[in-house]
Structure formats: structure tokens, C-alpha cells
Amino acid sequence: MVDSQEFEYDVLVIGAGGAGLRAAIEASAEGCSVGIICKCLLGKAHTVMAEGGIAAALGNVDDRDNWKVHFSDTMRGGQYVNNWRMAEIHAKEAPERVRELEAWGAVFDRTKDGRILQRNFGGHKYPRLVHVGDRTGLEMLRTLQDYGIHQGIEVHMERTVVRLLKDGDGSRVCGVIVYDREKGRFQVFRAKAVILATGGIGQAYQITSNSWDCTGDGHSLAYEAGAELIDMEFIQFHPTGMVWPPSVRGILVTEGVRGEGGILLNSEGRRFMFDEIPDNYKHQTADNPEEGWRYTQGDKEARRPPELLTRDHTARCIVREIKEGRGSPHGGVFLDIAWIKEKISHSEEHIKRKLPSMYHQFKQLAGIDITREPMEVGPTTHYIMGGIHVDADTQMSTVPGLFACGECAAGINGANRLGGNSLSDLLVLGKRAGEYAADFARENNLGSIGGEQVEEAVEMALEPFGRDNDPQNGAENPYSIQNDLQKLMQHNVGIVRKEEEIQCALEKLDLLKERASRVHVPGNREFNPGWHTALDLNHLLTISEAIAHSALERKESRGAHFREDFPEKNPDFGQCNYVTIKGPEGNMLVRSEPIPEMPEELKAVIKEME
Amino acid sequence: MSGKAAFKILRGTSQGVEFEQYETPISEGMVVLDAVRQIQADQIPDLACRWNCKAGKCGSCSAEINGIPRLMCMTRLADLPLEKPVSVEPMKAFPLIKDLTTDVSWNFHVKKKIKPFKPRPPDASDGTWRIWQEDIDRVQEFRKCIECFLCQDVCHVLREHRLQSEFIGPRFLVHVAGLEMHPLDIEDRLEELKTAYGVGYCNITKCCTKVCPEEITITDNAIIPLKERVVDRFYDPLANLLRKFKK
């Protein structure tokens, strides 16, 4: 049943988005044999969807910027429940990682003096985002891909991991079992170290900016292997996704629109973002439209417009406007960039040059010309701050031999991620994951796969074919369960949460799990998306449960986690993270863990930047 | 827009294919990919097709819709005649895997053979370069490519003449152009362009430019300048004469 051919690598990377590729490149540079397994074709990962830019304190546009400002911005944005060590490493190393990309062929937009241009973004004090128009993720992924294919890395495309495999005594991860999409064959990959770089979980929600493949595989595989997850209650709802027409609902509208001067308006034409500015951002936010505009045009004396407050806050303001009846016709609010024609000549060409994909996207999918009319936007599930609990320096999970980086790992973002920090995170921490996985591989052998893990995994994966196919007897369609799950999470564990609704979600998740055990798929194993959906469902159900449990525990509102029944921040909860782990009886356990004390020198940095 | 529409989807494997017709409800703003996914969810769960981002950014859902190579996610039903069934077929230039999926691995092998980026030494002591925006505008156009391979699909050198072993196709000529015109790159790929990459096979019918969802002017901005560079190097009579004298 399993292909007799086995693959062996020093370091095996799961996922070929930015984090996976960067990790693979580093492990390979360290002299390791490296394999990559990816669910899609190479170069299609969700990283291509990143639009705005890479946050790195190069100080090219404003020389007051440096790692200390970036570090403080990241901690403030994350409401201080971030892992401060990761935020420190990230802020210090991001500039070098960006310069490296240029040496590998990336072509970023330029300043007038020929250096890398940087743009404004929410929560960043100075213009910090390195970018290429609004297709930065594509540029980055393609650069890593085109460099990576010449580094001796072997890429196994369109393969999905069914289970992580552990050695005889279960002490470490030493391989994976996968199926390939084309033929449905099972294959075993053995490795001295395994790096998870599987991205996000957006497909657990109905309205999302995420690709089909963002089904939380890494989170769930690590959990099943005994690793800890952390911060799972923190899900970022990006304030601006498309809302109309229905078929494109959720598709991302880059924050870059606001960075370039775009404003948010309600149905009364009011710039509602001025109505509520959080205390800790008051001193750095403009109090009139004119100052906000000057900020977007590079005036160093001006403070940023309220549209560039953090994503959690902006999303909630939009929800408030819609709830109170001041929304746009299709249940969003208006995002207007066309207005800048009052300020600059040739605004049409300017918008098309700065935001080409946005122009294209609205023109083609909604029939709207953004250089002439406002867009309709609303919040969309975008990013999970929570994920696999890793060591800040090495990116190793709580299970030896298992590393994680990128969106599936957690810590750096705390309760809310700043735009642009994900691309820099995956470069900085992806590189570190590769480096330390290589170290681990040097000190360990291949290990032997213990027990019947392979046989069990195959049996589990094939179950949907063998089940009763008659709906009269309870046979279920995987797509309809996924649909119901997405609706449940959207409504009960979405932007605004409360105890009864989360409790109800947990009960309904049990019912969905029971239904999932009756999923039947027709056809055979060759390229069968029904089968793939049935297997992805298990991951989605696991992570949804982790999200709901953690959301229930955090009885306060912080960052992206908003509890209607506890609308205020509670300092006690600011001292801890929530950790999710699989209990001895297979039940999910959630406990709080104190955040380690920040060293004096970092406290001083934060104080200095206030 | 509401009601139902009919879709004729090519189903099968290399063992044999046939069109099968499905009806599905439609609503305002729907694209072909929505319809295909709806049919998959409600009627044929094992219908094979690739898609990722559903926003025209990943280039996974390439297909031939009413005979024209397009991205399914960027083709609105409102722009198609719905009186008769909409036909959806896999790309024809590549071997069929199943239903709407094809084996595009040839493209990945080709890219690996192209000489990689090789930068000149840094301009500044901190290891960075100085580049002017006007010098990269064109390269940035080429780098918009989402590798959907629709240009490869429509190129008659690959589609009809099957010269995959001698011609790298428009996608990779754009890639080479992006490297050759990169202001930092100092590699020389002209010999390969003439021989292994087969730039001479392109006879400028511009079909690739027409189907490019990123609106890259493939033929005019990438291929023709590459052809000119090859001609300048290898076929300029005056230069040839000078070279002879030098010998």
C-alpha cells in the first residue's frame, strides 16, 4: 500500500511558501541534504498573495528608523503578549534578510537616490515596508524560488502530509508520510529534522483572504505529534477585504491603499476612523485630515492618519459602523483612494502605478474603477497569530527534531500582527529554522520509525473510500461539512466573541467531528479533490477546537481577540499566553503559561520609544 | 444575474476523455471557477482541478474556456454567452493528468536549466546597490508573471509543433529577458538564447501576449529585444567582419 521507495534527507521542509523556501535555502547552505514537500505546485504558495511589503528598519526613507523602533512598534501592536525575544531578533535581523533578497535578484521599488524604497503601513511609526507596487509577496516568493532551485534542494510537489512519524520511543520526530495528489500513492520521507512551514488556517472561516490550502495542516500535525500550540485565540481579521460581488467576498484589499492616502468612509460620507483613537496611539495619530494626508506624502512632521491604526482596531471600527447602520449597500464601508485627485495631478496614473493589482482586481472582478470611485470593503479572516510553540532562537517546537516557522509558528506577533511583519518574520525566522534544523541534523541520526504508525496513517487516510456511500445511512459530503464549519467559526468565534457563542461552537464542533467520521468520497485515489477535502477536514476541526478553547479562556479583549462580555483589557491576562496540548486521553487541554520577564534593556527600549 | 447555467467540462485521463454537461445555479459576479467548484461540491466531488488564491495572483486555475486559454478565477460569467453551455477544458499543450489538471512539470525543468541571476559587486561599502527606478520599470513588468503557463499553452511552437526539446517558450523568454535586462546582472545568456533556448523559433504571432492575464507585453517588450540582441551578436555582418580581423 505504501510505495517501496523511501526518501531520506538531513532536513525535510513541509511547505514551499516564503518561510519554507527560506528555511530550505539556509539548511542547504549549511551543507545538509534538503527536501521540500509542498501541497501545490512550486511558486503557488499563499505568500504570492502578500501585497503591501516587507517590514525592515532600513531607514532609507526616514533615517530615524532603527531596530529599536521596529521592536517597540511590534510589541505595542501585539499588546505586549508577544515573545519579546522573537520580536527583538526579528527587528534586528530583518534588514539583512531584505538586502540578501536583492543580492538574489529581487527588484524592489527605488528611492530617488537609487536605494530600496519603503512605504507607510499600519502601526509602523516610520515608512518601513520594502515593496514592489502591491505584489511584494510574489516578488519575494519568486526570488526565493528561482534562487532555491539552484541550491541542490529537491522539491516534491503536490504532496500532502498525512502524519508526522516519530521514532521508537516517541521522543522525536523523524519523518512524515504523505500522499501524492496525482496518483494517490503513499510515500515515506525520513529525515533527521523536520521543519513545518505550512502557513495559516483561513479556510476554517467563511470569509477569508486565504487560499484553499490554508487548512492549518502544520498546526494540527504538530498537535497530534504532541507539540504545544500557543495563542490560538488570536486571529487577525484584516479590515479590508472585498465584499461585493458575493463570489469574491473576502479577497484582500491591501493596506497599501491606505498607506498611499486612501480613506475609510461610512454611508454618511464621514471619516469615522477619527471618531475613536486608542489612548496608546493618540500621541502618534493625526487629529485632522490634512495632517494625515501630509503623513502619507512623506511629511516627517506629520502624524499618521487614523486609517493606519492597527488592523484589530480598524476592523472593529468598521464592524461598528456596519452594525449601527452606516455601512455601504453590500454590508461593508467605503475605501476611497480616488479622492486624491483633489491633491495631486495625474492621480489616475499614480494610483495605477502604486496599486496595479488592486486596480486590476476591482476592474475585472467587480467592474469598479478605483481611480474614479470608492471600493466597498469589510473585514476578512487573514492571519493567525497563534500556532506552534517554538523556541525564540532556534525555532524548535516542544518536540525534539520538529521545527516550525512562518505563519504556523507563533510568538512574534502577540495579540495582533502589524502588516508587513509576516514577510519579514518568515525571512528572519525561516532562516533561523533552517540553520538550527541543520545543527540538529548534524547531531542526530535518521532514527527509526517506531511501531505501526505508517500502517495506521494509511488506514486512516483511506477510510473515506470504504465507508457507506448512502446518504440515507448517514454518508456525508466533505464539502458540506467544511461549509458548515466555516459558517460556525465565522459566526461564533469571529471578530466579536462571547462565552455562550463559543460554548455553542464547541458543542457543534463535536457534532461536526461526528459527521466527519461518516464522510464518504466517490471515485479513486487519482487527483481526487473530494478525498483531499475529507482529509483536510480533520486538520480544520482540530484547529477550530483549539481556537475556540483558547478564545473561551481569555476572558478579556486584547488585540484581535474581542470579547463582548469582557470588552476591556485586563492586566492579569497580559501576563500570560494560552497553551494548547493533546492530553493523555486524546482530549484537548488548554492552560495558561506566564510570559517570561522582559530583560531590563528591552524594557528601556520600549520606554525610550514611548 | 440569476437562474442556472450549463457547463460542458472535459473529463477523463490520458486513457480517454469526454465532455460531460452539468447545470448549476448562478449569481451576480460569479466567475467560471465558482461554477466549477460548485459543481464539484454538489455533483462530482472527484472532479480534478487546480486552484489556490481565487484572485488571479497564483496562476493555478489555467484552463481553456470556450476554447480560449484563461484563468478560471478571472473569467466572469457575465462576460460569456450563457445561451449555450460554457465549455471548460484543460490546457492542451501539456499532457493530461485528469479532468482539468495537466502535467506542467516540463516548465519546472526548463527553468532550472536557465543560467541564474549573477549580480555585479555591490556599489556601496555596506554591500548594497544603487538602482534607478527607470532602469527597472521594464524588468518589473516581466516579474509580474504569475507562471500560469497560458502563454506556453497558446504558443503554436509548443502546442502544435511540440518543440518542447528545442524551445523554452514565451514564459521563459520573459524570464530570461528579466535576467538579461536586470541592471545588476552580469551573466551572458546570448549563446543559449540562440541555441538551447531557441528564441529563433518564435515568429511573433503575439498569441502569448493576447492571453497573458498579467498583461505583460511578452512579444514586443521581451522576445523581440532578445531576438535583436542575438542578431547583433551573431548575425551582424559588420561585427562578424571585425571579429574575423581580430582573429
Side-chain angles (χ1 to χ4, degrees):
Chain A
M1 222 182 304
V2 181
D3 241 28
S4 54
Q5 188 190 5
E6 279 193 355
F7 297 89
E8 290 181 5
Y9 296 102
D10 294 332
V11 175
L12 180 67
V13 182
I14 317 298
L21 285 171
R22 187 62 191 84
I25 287 169
E26 197 60 23
S28 173
E30 294 270 333
C32 289
S33 66
V34 180
I36 297 183
I37 290 169
C38 54
K39 235 166 135 170
C40 312
L41 296 172
L42 183 62
K44 307 295 179 200
H46 194 59
T47 308
V48 296
M49 299 284 288
E51 294 167 350
I54 313 170
L58 296 167
N60 285 358
V61 172
D62 193 320
D63 56 14
R64 290 173 295 181
D65 202 12
N66 58 53
W67 80 263
K68 291 177 178 177
V69 193
H70 192 182
F71 167 75
S72 309
D73 287 351
T74 302
M75 292 300 292
R76 185 184 299 113
Q79 308 264 357
Y80 303 102
V81 292
N82 327 44
N83 179 310
W84 45 260
R85 175 64 182 150
M86 279 166 109
E88 178 194 5
I89 291 171
H90 166 252
K92 282 182 175 164
E93 296 179 7
E96 189 49 39
R97 296 285 82 76
V98 166
R99 287 195 279 266
E100 198 169 63
L101 282 185
E102 183 152 277
W104 295 346
V107 186
F108 297 117
D109 287 353
R110 316 310 294 186
T111 61
K112 288 206 167 68
D113 65 350
R115 297 187 297 164
I116 295 174
L117 182 62
Q118 299 182 272
R119 70 152 53 117
N120 289 312
F121 235 59
H124 293 282
K125 192 165 183 193
Y126 301 120
R128 188 177 286 147
L129 267 69
V130 172
H131 62 277
V132 186
D134 53 6
R135 55 161 194 87
T136 314
L138 173 67
E139 181 68 23
M140 197 175 98
L141 190 74
R142 201 66 84 224
T143 301
L144 292 169
Q145 174 190 345
D146 292 352
Y147 180 78
I149 57 173
H150 295 289
Q151 309 306 311
I153 299 162
E154 287 178 20
V155 184
H156 303 267
M157 292 188 254
E158 298 198 310
R159 281 167 173 76
T160 305
V161 176
V162 181
R163 181 175 175 171
L164 299 177
L165 302 171
K166 297 177 89 175
D167 70 347
D169 61 6
S171 64
R172 72 174 171 109
V173 166
C174 63
V176 303
I177 173 162
V178 308
Y179 68 81
D180 74 313
R181 293 167 80 73
E182 184 178 340
K183 295 283 179 216
R185 287 167 304 201
F186 293 98
Q187 294 168 329
V188 170
F189 286 73
R190 300 174 64 205
K192 294 172 185 168
V194 173
I195 301 175
L196 291 171
T198 54
I201 57 94
Q203 286 297 325
Y205 286 81
Q206 190 182 18
I207 300 171
T208 178
S209 63
N210 287 195
S211 301
W212 76 270
D213 48 337
C214 299
T215 47
D217 299 19
H219 292 78
S220 150
L221 292 166
Y223 168 82
E224 293 295 340
E228 289 178 0
L229 305 179
I230 192 170
D231 291 341
M232 292 297 282
E233 68 274 31
F234 295 125
I235 310 242
Q236 179 165 77
F237 299 91
H238 193 290
T240 58
M242 290 176 82
V243 296
W244 185 260
S247 77
V248 299
R249 189 161 192 140
I251 293 181
L252 189 66
V253 180
T254 178
E255 197 165 315
V257 176
R258 286 169 280 146
E260 298 296 341
I263 56 175
L264 289 165
L265 300 169
N266 64 17
S267 60
E268 297 160 0
R270 183 179 169 77
R271 225 173 134 180
F272 59 86
M273 288 304 294
F274 277 109
D275 296 347
E276 188 194 329
I277 296 165
D279 287 341
N280 58 338
Y281 283 98
K282 258 197 180 120
H283 64 290
Q284 38 172 274
T285 308
D287 53 16
N288 65 82
E290 190 50 38
E291 184 182 2
W293 166 253
R294 282 194 283 115
Y295 175 89
T296 63
Q297 300 312 297
D299 182 342
K300 289 184 182 179
E301 302 309 314
R303 294 170 298 174
R304 71 173 146 236
E307 275 84 0
L308 291 178
L309 285 161
T310 52
R311 289 176 174 177
D312 50 346
H313 176 77
T314 311
R316 271 195 302 278
C317 290
I318 292 174
V319 170
R320 180 194 66 210
E321 292 304 305
I322 299 168
K323 261 196 178 161
E324 293 176 7
R326 296 185 294 274
S328 65
H330 302 106
V333 294
F334 296 105
L335 171 62
D336 189 7
I337 182 76
W339 81 277
I340 66 170
K341 62 176 177 280
E342 296 167 17
K343 295 285 183 186
I344 52 177
S345 51
H346 310 296
S347 66
E348 220 179 293
E349 290 91 273
H350 178 79
I351 294 167
K352 283 187 201 168
R353 187 162 50 80
K354 289 287 184 182
L355 303 161
S357 338
M358 286 306 104
Y359 174 75
H360 200 66
Q361 184 172 312
F362 274 89
K363 192 95 190 145
Q364 263 189 293
L365 295 174
I368 283 180
D369 180 349
I370 67 167
T371 68
R372 290 163 189 275
E373 49 195 324
M375 300 159 246
E376 270 188 80
V377 296
T380 179
T381 314
H382 187 52
Y383 188 91
I384 182 160
M385 275 67 76
I388 301 162
H389 193 188
V390 292
D391 177 78
D393 285 83
T394 66
Q395 296 294 115
M396 189 158 87
S397 74
T398 50
V399 173
L402 182 65
F403 295 74
C405 55
E407 190 172 347
C408 75
I412 179 175
N413 298 302
N416 174 59
R417 177 178 69 81
L418 298 185
N421 269 3
S422 57
L423 292 188
S424 42
D425 158 19
L426 57 83
L427 290 173
V428 171
L429 302 178
K431 182 216 175 242
R432 278 181 167 257
E435 185 181 338
Y436 287 94
D439 272 359
F440 189 92
R442 269 191 290 270
E443 288 157 16
N444 289 276
N445 56 24
L446 268 179
S448 56
I449 297 157
E452 311 282 298
Q453 298 176 76
V454 171
E455 293 73 10
E456 282 167 22
V458 171
E459 199 178 311
M460 185 277 292
L462 291 178
E463 273 173 6
F465 288 111
R467 293 195 188 115
D468 197 325
N469 66 357
D470 186 354
Q472 301 290 333
N473 297 333
E476 289 276 357
N477 173 331
Y479 298 100
S480 52
I481 299 182
Q482 184 174 2
N483 221 340
D484 292 347
L485 171 70
Q486 290 169 334
K487 281 187 198 148
L488 177 69
M489 291 302 285
Q490 187 75 36
H491 293 119
N492 290 41
V493 204
I495 305 181
V496 177
R497 303 164 173 180
K498 61 178 173 204
E499 173 143 356
E500 305 89 89
E501 287 180 358
I502 306 172
Q503 287 286 12
C504 164
L506 281 164
E507 283 159 30
K508 288 193 175 162
L509 278 170
D510 280 339
L511 297 178
L512 287 174
K513 273 195 261 180
E514 193 278 321
R515 280 174 63 194
S517 70
R518 288 184 272 119
V519 159
H520 165 79
V521 289
N524 59 32
R525 280 153 61 182
E526 290 179 26
F527 219 116
N528 184 341
W531 182 40
H532 308 153
T533 303
L535 297 181
D536 291 344
L537 253 186
N538 298 326
H539 300 312
L540 286 171
L541 287 163
T542 303
I543 56 110
S544 296
E545 198 186 338
I547 293 165
H549 273 303
S550 310
L552 197 59
E553 291 298 323
R554 189 171 282 278
K555 295 178 178 29
E556 64 155 354
S557 292
R558 182 179 296 272
H561 173 67
F562 186 79
R563 286 279 300 255
E564 207 170 47
D565 41 0
F566 299 98
E568 299 302 323
K569 222 180 332 190
N570 177 339
D572 295 342
F573 285 97
Q575 309 299 316
C576 70
N577 297 116
Y578 282 96
V579 172
T580 309
I581 192 161
K582 191 172 183 177
E585 270 91 54
N587 52 328
M588 189 174 278
L589 304 176
V590 178
R591 62 175 157 79
S592 80
E593 191 176 274
I595 295 172
E597 178 83 9
M598 191 187 290
E600 289 307 320
E601 68 264 28
L602 290 182
K603 279 186 191 163
V605 168
I606 287 178
K607 206 158 173 53
E608 184 190 334
M609 295 301 148
E610 264 168 9
Chain B
M1 191 167 68
S2 60
K4 284 188 162 195
F7 294 83
K8 227 170 53 173
I9 301 176
L10 198 71
R11 300 209 61 200
T13 63
S14 55
Q15 307 299 309
V17 288
E18 58 183 331
F19 276 110
E20 285 184 27
Q21 195 163 321
Y22 306 91
E23 277 201 348
T24 196
I26 56 169
S27 59
E28 190 173 345
M30 255 173 92
V31 292
V32 172
L33 181 61
D34 291 316
V36 168
R37 286 182 56 216
Q38 224 166 264
I39 291 166
Q40 192 183 48
D42 301 337
Q43 303 176 48
I44 34 169
D46 62 338
L47 170 66
C49 76
R50 288 191 182 103
W51 70 278
N52 277 30
C53 75
K54 210 181 153 311
K57 295 205 171 74
C58 75
S60 301
C61 63
S62 306
E64 299 188 6
I65 299 162
N66 286 347
I68 300 168
R70 307 178 75 162
L71 294 178
M72 289 194 280
C73 72
M74 295 303 273
T75 307
R76 296 178 80 182
L77 296 183
D79 298 333
L80 298 172
L82 298 178
E83 316 79 74
K84 51 180 185 159
V86 175
S87 87
V88 188
E89 300 168 73
M91 290 190 285
K92 290 206 184 72
F94 306 110
L96 182 66
I97 293 177
K98 181 183 156 191
D99 304 338
L100 300 176
T101 58
T102 55
D103 178 358
V104 292
S105 57
W106 171 75
N107 293 287
F108 293 92
H109 297 304
V110 169
K111 193 186 233 184
K112 216 169 168 171
K113 285 191 298 195
I114 293 167
K115 283 185 180 169
F117 175 67
K118 187 170 151 190
R120 68 175 186 234
D123 302 331
S125 56
D126 63 355
T128 60
W129 288 271
R130 298 292 174 271
I131 306 170
W132 314 114
Q133 185 63 43
E134 52 270 34
D135 292 339
I136 52 171
D137 282 342
R138 179 153 297 184
V139 176
Q140 287 186 327
E141 181 195 0
F142 302 148
R143 293 181 69 88
K144 286 195 313 193
C145 172
I146 55 173
E147 300 199 330
C148 62
F149 306 130
L150 288 172
C151 58
Q152 307 285 70
D153 183 44
V154 81
C155 173
H156 60 98
V157 182
L158 302 172
R159 190 184 176 100
E160 270 100 39
H161 302 290
R162 301 273 156 190
L163 288 171
Q164 272 80 349
S165 58
E166 292 165 60
F167 181 57
I168 61 175
R171 158 59 194 135
F172 295 106
L173 290 172
V174 166
H175 178 61
V176 173
L179 291 165
E180 285 288 304
M181 298 180 201
H182 193 305
L184 302 186
D185 184 76
I186 50 171
E187 186 58 90
D188 183 347
R189 300 172 189 82
L190 289 191
E191 178 65 38
E192 287 80 5
L193 268 172
K194 176 170 167 267
T195 54
Y197 305 166
V199 71
Y201 278 110
C202 167
N203 61 0
I204 322 186
T205 54
K206 302 195 183 184
C207 307
C208 50
T209 307
K210 272 187 214 128
V211 301
C212 179
E214 284 293 312
E215 295 172 3
I216 301 171
T217 34
I218 302 175
T219 319
D220 289 353
N221 286 354
I223 300 181
I224 292 175
L226 289 179
K227 280 173 172 282
E228 285 168 353
R229 288 180 185 205
V230 169
V231 168
D232 282 350
R233 166 84 62 90
F234 300 103
Y235 303 103
D236 181 347
L238 195 64
N240 278 345
L241 205 63
L242 283 171
R243 260 199 293 275
K244 270 189 190 140
F245 277 122
K246 272 187 189 162
K247 277 179 191 167

